[in-house]
Amino acid sequence: MLPLLDLTHQLALHSLTVTVLVTPKNLPTVNPLLSAHPSIKTLVLPLPHHPSLPAGVENVRDIGNSGNVPIINALGKLHDPITQWFKSHPNPPVALISDFFLGWTLHLANQLGIPRITFYSSGAFLTSLLNFLWPNVKTVRSLPAVNFPDLPRSPCFAAEHLPSSFRVYRESEPDTEFLRDGFLANTRSWGSIFNSFDGLEGEYLDHLRKEMGHGRVWGVGPLSLVGADEAIGRVNPDQNSGGSVLSWLDGCPDGSVVYVCFGSQKLLKRDQMEALASGLERSGIRFVWVVKSVSAQQTADGYGVIPDGFEDRVSGRGRVVKGWAPQVSILSHRAVGGFLSHCGWNSLLEGVVAGVMILSWPMEADQFVNARLLVEDTGAAVRICEGADSVPDSVELARTIAESMSGNTAQKVKAKELRHKAIEAVKAGGSSWKELEALVRELAQLGR
């Protein structure tokens, strides 16, 4: 959600008139943006009921990735309320920008007679894969591995490493058929916006332009570099969490700390927690480990439990943060030199912007694709483990962490180069700056 708010922030700065459609419980996330831009209007519509969603859940962060498909289907029921609002509006929108999970909005936009632009909060590499997978779903879903001969570098992925959004599909199951229809609709959208940049994914952005047969494919990222953190809601939801870690980092040597975080959705099981803790302890490397807050039931089930005595044994060399942490501030701190990550796209970009080498442990969703991009295509990452249920060997994990963090490795050099490319991309005259300006010109033209 935050990258889309970053984009909205930019559109408002360019004096475009914007209305944001939001459900009531997501409104607090949008409020900082509305405060920064009083010209932005909102259309607040209640999220329609879906039998798989608990009452009151309106965001996937409240239920985990299993909530993606039901939330997408629930949002699809807003078609008629949006149509009614549009037809009653004295000056209705001239374009519709919506997330790539909301492909159904193409049908809505066609009915309203306006262009739909897909916003991809993930990468162009992932989209290139999905644009092949969905039209060929019946032939590829039974294969043990899928080749992509028409893509740059002709990648091949094992079936279990394909995007989760594709793997959940079940023929004739209404919710996932709706998902499939939406992804197919994305390929027919009038335009596409990516939170990515040429220096990271230029060959995949070019591939999509060629595949779609037009130039309305804009790589405008990393949007977090051009957004104002305060303006788009990157604030601490837990005031008792994470604050002192920056002071601790001030006392650490440059590039000596590895930051460990697996995003807002993933909880590690007990054996994974024990292996990771042992690996960090054996490595001898300084670290900050963010452990997601868990419920009493999750703790009882063995999720997210820090091994007894671990924090005492690593006291002074390592910090465990329970709950929320100021990730962008931590990654950009001079003391941090590595990021042990699940390789979600937002985390990946934050690591790239900070110029830190990534130690990849992809688990689900788009993460195997993103990890390949960093490990094999750019050389700015080291693979340490893969799979949601995998338990790394703690001795091997310790060795990999220690070796990767010592000296000026090739991956560290590549990470610094990527950071430079990201910064150059968003500067005036850079590739993403030019793409954003081109997007704004197209949108302004539609209003004339």
Side-chain angles (χ1 to χ4, degrees):
M1 189 172 182
L2 289 179
L4 190 52
L5 297 183
D6 284 326
L7 176 68
T8 309
H9 174 61
Q10 289 302 311
L11 298 181
L13 287 176
H14 283 78
S15 302
L16 294 177
T17 303
V18 179
T19 298
V20 176
L21 168 60
V22 63
T23 61
K25 288 202 170 179
N26 285 308
L27 193 55
T29 308
V30 181
N31 279 335
L33 177 70
L34 302 179
S35 298
H37 298 284
S39 64
I40 295 178
K41 303 290 187 289
T42 57
L43 171 59
V44 183
L45 294 175
L47 183 70
H49 171 73
H50 188 283
S52 298
L53 287 179
V57 169
E58 296 181 10
N59 193 298
V60 72
R61 68 169 174 258
D62 299 324
I63 191 175
N65 285 331
S66 63
N68 267 324
V69 172
I71 286 176
I72 291 164
N73 277 265
L75 287 168
K77 296 174 185 174
L78 292 176
H79 181 286
D80 290 348
I82 296 171
T83 301
Q84 292 163 12
W85 171 83
F86 185 94
K87 289 182 174 176
S88 66
H89 200 288
N91 186 23
V94 297
L96 190 159
I97 300 174
S98 59
D99 188 85
F100 75 116
F101 278 119
L102 305 181
W104 61 268
T105 56
L106 175 69
H107 310 305
L108 171 68
N110 287 343
Q111 182 182 324
L112 299 177
I114 59 175
R116 185 255 176 158
I117 303 170
T118 310
F119 176 73
Y120 290 91
S121 52
S122 58
F125 184 18
L126 173 73
T127 302
S128 299
L129 298 180
L130 290 172
N131 286 1
F132 174 83
L133 289 169
W134 282 110
N136 298 291
V137 61
K138 292 183 179 176
T139 55
V140 303
R141 65 183 176 143
S142 59
L143 299 174
V146 180
N147 292 295
F148 299 84
D150 296 332
L151 265 65
R153 305 170 192 256
S154 303
C156 176
F157 283 90
E160 63 268 24
H161 293 168
L162 293 173
S164 302
S165 55
F166 174 76
R167 294 178 62 219
V168 298
Y169 173 73
R170 299 291 179 269
E171 190 173 2
S172 302
E173 199 279 309
D175 279 2
T176 61
E177 287 287 0
F178 186 76
L179 182 73
R180 174 176 177 257
D181 180 70
F183 275 105
L184 290 171
N186 288 340
T187 65
R188 304 191 301 275
S189 286
W190 183 79
S192 304
I193 304 168
F194 285 89
N195 186 22
S196 190
F197 62 100
D198 270 0
L200 180 62
E201 291 198 296
E203 60 188 345
Y204 299 109
L205 290 166
D206 286 341
H207 170 78
L208 289 170
R209 291 181 186 110
K210 181 180 175 184
E211 182 179 79
M212 293 180 180
H214 59 73
R216 295 185 300 275
V217 176
W218 299 284
V220 299
L223 283 163
S224 61
L225 263 182
V226 290
D229 281 359
E230 298 270 322
I232 45 75
R234 283 186 178 85
V235 292
N236 187 351
D238 179 359
Q239 295 303 323
N240 297 316
S241 173
S244 65
V245 70
L246 295 173
S247 301
W248 181 80
L249 286 170
D250 288 341
C252 298
D254 290 4
S256 65
V257 178
V258 63
Y259 173 66
V260 183
C261 183
F262 296 99
S264 59
Q265 302 299 328
K266 190 62 187 174
L267 278 174
L268 298 186
K269 298 171 186 171
R270 188 186 303 276
D271 52 356
Q272 293 174 315
M273 293 287 288
E274 289 172 351
L276 180 53
S278 177
L280 290 169
E281 187 175 348
R282 289 169 181 263
S283 73
I285 299 295
R286 292 178 177 85
F287 66 88
V288 172
W289 182 9
V290 179
V291 178
K292 190 174 181 284
S293 297
V294 291
S295 65
Q297 184 59 52
Q298 288 168 328
T299 301
D301 292 341
Y303 285 95
V305 178
I306 300 159
D308 288 343
F310 171 72
E311 291 179 84
D312 292 335
R313 292 194 302 274
V314 298
S315 177
R317 178 166 66 79
R319 293 291 295 267
V320 176
V321 179
K322 294 162 185 152
W324 183 89
Q327 179 159 297
V328 173
S329 299
I330 291 172
L331 286 171
S332 59
H333 195 285
R334 56 159 186 79
V336 175
F339 180 15
L340 202 167
S341 171
H342 63 317
C343 292
W345 189 251
N346 287 347
S347 289
L348 179 151
L349 281 182
E350 287 169 358
V352 165
V353 166
V356 297
M357 168 199 60
I358 290 179
L359 302 165
S360 76
W361 183 352
M363 299 185 183
E364 58 186 355
D366 58 349
Q367 295 159 17
F368 294 99
V369 179
N370 301 340
R372 182 190 173 105
L373 176 72
L374 277 188
V375 174
E376 298 183 28
D377 287 13
T378 71
V382 177
R383 185 178 283 108
I384 63 155
C385 191
E386 56 183 19
D389 298 317
S390 298
V391 180
D393 177 271
S394 60
V395 175
E396 182 65 20
L397 178 61
R399 185 189 62 79
T400 305
I401 292 172
E403 288 181 358
S404 300
M405 289 295 291
S406 62
N408 199 27
T409 64
Q411 289 82 6
K412 285 183 178 178
V413 172
K414 288 290 186 184
K416 292 283 191 291
E417 290 174 1
L418 267 185
R419 168 179 160 77
H420 176 72
K421 289 177 181 178
I423 292 170
E424 290 299 310
V426 299
K427 281 184 180 175
S431 60
S432 294
W433 181 88
K434 288 178 180 175
E435 296 281 280
L436 182 62
E437 294 296 312
L439 168 64
V440 169
R441 282 196 301 273
E442 289 275 10
L443 292 172
Q445 197 69 34
L446 291 170
R448 288 177 186 159

